[in-house]
Amino acid sequence: MIGSFHLPSSASSSSWAPPADWINISSVANNEIHLLVTNGVATSFSVNTLSGTYSIDWGDGMIETSRVSDTIYTHQHSSGGVTCSEGYKTWKVRIYGASSTITRFRIRRHTFCSSTQIIPILWAVFGTTGLTTIESAFYDSSANGAQACMLRSVTFPTFANTTGANSALANCTALVDFQFPNSSWGAITDPVNMFAGCTSLSKLTLPSSWGGVTSLMFTFANCSSLTSLKFPTSFGSITSLYATFQGCSALHHMLFPSSWGSVTETRATFASCFSLVLVSLPAQVSSGMTLCEYMFYKCYNLTTVTNLSKVGSNTIQSDFNLFMSDMDFFSSPIQIGAKLTKLGIFGSAGALLKITSIRLLATGSAFTGSSPQVDVSYTSLNASALNILFIDLPTIAGKTINIMGCPGAATCTRSTAINKGWTIIG
C-alpha cells in the first residue's frame, strides 16, 4: 500500500516447485550437496573442505572418489539421464562422503569452450551447515561476464557460519526463487552483487533485519523482472546503496525505513529504473551521506519522491552530479537540503523536463565540482523560478550554472547570479 511501510513476515513459503517429472534432489544429508543438471557442454565446479577428500556421483554411472579440496572437476553428461516433459534430460549429481566439513562450493569455467559458458545446473540443494562463504557460488568471474547459470532455485540450510555472499547468484538469469534460510542473513556481511543480473527474479522476501550486512552495492542490480521489494524497518549497519537497484527496469515502487542510519552513499541507487513511480525515502538524514550522483538517473516514469530534501548531508559537501537527469514525468517542486559540490537536474533538447521549481536550502555549498557546477538545463523553470534559484546560490567566484533551454532563460534576472560570481550558460 502506498504511503505506509509493511514489515515482511518472518517466514515465507516458496512460490516455486520443481516440475513433477524432475528427479527429486530435495532430500540431502548434512555435509552433502545435490545438483540437478541438464544437457550442456559440461558441468564444472570446485568444493572446499577443511581437510581430506570427498566423492562425486555424477549420476550417469561415473563415481569419482578421493577428490581434492579447491580443485576443479569437470564432467560431460552424454549417456543415460531422465527425460522430462520440458524436453531435456536431467541427471542428479551428488557431492558426498567428505572426510571433513564442506566450507565452499563454486561453479568454475571448463576448458571445452573459450567464449560464453552456460552453466547447466537447474536446481541446487545444500545440506552443508558448515559453509563459510557462498561468494561466487554460481558465478565465475573468470568468465569476464560471458557466463550465465540456468539455476532456477537453490536451497541453503543456514547462513550461521557464512560471512561472504559476493556475486553468489550473479547472472543466474533463470532464477525465479530464493528463500533466506531461517529468514535471516545469518553471519553474512557482504552481499555485494549477490543477485545482480537475476533477470527472472520477480519478487524476493527479505529477512526482517539486515543483521551484519554493511553494503548493498549492486546487490539487486539488473534484476529486470523485480517489481517490488520490502525493506526491514532499519538499515542496520549498511553504509552503501551504490547501484543497489540500478537497471531494475520493472521496479515500480520502493518504501525505505524511517531513518538513513549510517548510509553514506546513494550513487546510482535507482539509475535506469525505467518503471519506477514512487520512492518513499527516510525522514531522518545521515550526516555522512556525500555520494549521491546518478541516484535517480533515467527514472523516466518517477512522479513521487517523499523526503527528497533529506538526501545528502547538511554538514559535509555532497555530490549530486546527474542526480535527477532525464526524469521525464517528474513535476513536483524539488528541494535539496544538502551542501553541494555539484548539482545535475536536467533534460535534453527536445525532451524538456516538467520540473518547475528547484530550491537549494543549505548554506555553505562549496561547489568544487567540474563546470557547470549547477546544471538545470532543459527543465521547465520560468523566469521567476530561475530568479529564486539564483538567490539560493552562494556568493562564490568562478562557478557556472547552465540554464540552457529553460523557458525563463531569456527573461530571468541574470545579474543576481552574476553579481555572486557565477557565469551563466544558456
Side-chain angles (χ1 to χ4, degrees), residues 72-136:
I72 299 173
Y73 294 102
T74 300
H75 187 71
Q76 291 180 296
H77 287 88
S78 58
S79 62
V82 176
T83 301
C84 70
S85 57
E86 297 186 14
Y88 45 75
K89 290 185 176 183
T90 58
W91 293 264
K92 174 183 175 179
V93 177
R94 180 184 174 217
I95 299 166
Y96 68 103
S99 56
S100 65
T101 302
I102 292 176
T103 59
R104 185 173 189 179
F105 168 89
R106 285 183 292 172
I107 62 98
R108 306 297 288 269
R109 274 187 76 84
H110 54 70
T111 59
F112 298 109
C113 63
S114 58
S115 55
T116 300
Q117 297 204 351
I118 306 299
I119 311 303
I121 300 175
L122 296 172
W123 182 18
V125 180
F126 287 72
T128 46
T129 59
L131 288 175
T132 57
T133 181
I134 57 170
E135 180 178 347
S136 299

Side-chain angles (χ1 to χ4, degrees), residues 143-215:
N144 296 320
Q147 172 259 318
C149 189
M150 299 172 66
L151 189 72
R152 296 192 193 177
S153 181
V154 58
T155 301
F156 294 102
T158 178
F159 286 150
N161 303 305
T162 309
T163 57
N166 191 316
S167 301
L169 297 158
N171 276 19
C172 287
T173 55
L175 186 72
V176 296
D177 177 68
F178 182 83
Q179 303 296 317
F180 285 87
N182 301 322
S183 299
S184 170
W185 286 94
I188 287 177
T189 59
D190 174 23
V192 172
N193 291 305
M194 184 174 179
F195 299 99
C198 291
T199 55
S200 296
L201 192 65
S202 61
K203 59 182 178 179
L204 187 67
T205 300
L206 294 176
S208 59
S209 167
W210 290 110
V213 173
T214 58
S215 174

Side-chain angles (χ1 to χ4, degrees), residues 188-325:
I188 287 177
T189 59
D190 174 23
V192 172
N193 291 305
M194 184 174 179
F195 299 99
C198 291
T199 55
S200 296
L201 192 65
S202 61
K203 59 182 178 179
L204 187 67
T205 300
L206 294 176
S208 59
S209 167
W210 290 110
V213 173
T214 58
S215 174
L216 293 180
M217 184 184 300
F218 291 100
T219 300
F220 308 102
N222 298 313
C223 289
S224 56
S225 295
L226 189 67
T227 57
S228 65
L229 193 71
K230 295 179 181 179
F231 266 50
T233 54
S234 167
F235 273 121
S237 302
I238 292 171
T239 59
S240 178
L241 296 177
Y242 180 29
T244 300
F245 300 103
Q246 177 178 292
C248 289
S249 54
L251 190 67
H252 186 264
H253 63 275
M254 181 58 60
L255 309 180
F256 279 110
S258 59
S259 170
W260 284 107
S262 301
V263 173
T264 60
E265 181 175 30
T266 59
R267 281 191 295 169
T269 301
F270 296 107
S272 298
C273 288
F274 305 137
S275 300
L276 192 65
V277 173
L278 176 142
V279 177
S280 179
L281 297 176
Q284 297 181 30
V285 299
S286 172
S287 61
M289 191 189 302
T290 60
L291 301 172
C292 307
E293 63 264 43
Y294 294 90
M295 185 172 179
F296 298 103
Y297 178 65
K298 292 187 180 298
C299 290
Y300 298 127
N301 284 297
L302 188 62
T303 58
T304 304
V305 180
T306 64
N307 298 315
L308 184 61
S309 64
K310 304 301 182 180
V311 178
S313 172
N314 55 17
T315 59
I316 305 173
Q317 305 293 322
S318 304
D319 189 345
F320 276 55
N321 183 34
L322 290 160
F323 180 62
M324 299 180 79
S325 58

Side-chain angles (χ1 to χ4, degrees), residues 311-394:
V311 178
S313 172
N314 55 17
T315 59
I316 305 173
Q317 305 293 322
S318 304
D319 189 345
F320 276 55
N321 183 34
L322 290 160
F323 180 62
M324 299 180 79
S325 58
D326 294 334
M327 290 176 48
D328 288 357
F329 282 91
F330 197 87
S331 59
S332 301
I334 293 175
Q335 295 186 336
I336 304 298
K339 291 184 176 181
L340 301 171
T341 61
K342 193 172 175 71
L343 174 65
I345 302 175
F346 55 85
S348 58
L352 193 70
L353 300 191
K354 293 178 173 62
I355 296 165
T356 59
S357 175
I358 299 174
R359 296 296 309 274
L360 308 182
L361 305 182
T363 59
S365 292
F367 287 107
T368 54
S370 59
S371 180
Q373 284 75 23
V374 176
D375 191 344
V376 295
S377 59
Y378 299 104
T379 59
S380 295
L381 299 181
N382 60 22
S384 177
L386 285 172
N387 291 340
I388 294 173
L389 179 59
F390 293 160
I391 292 172
D392 288 343
L393 293 175

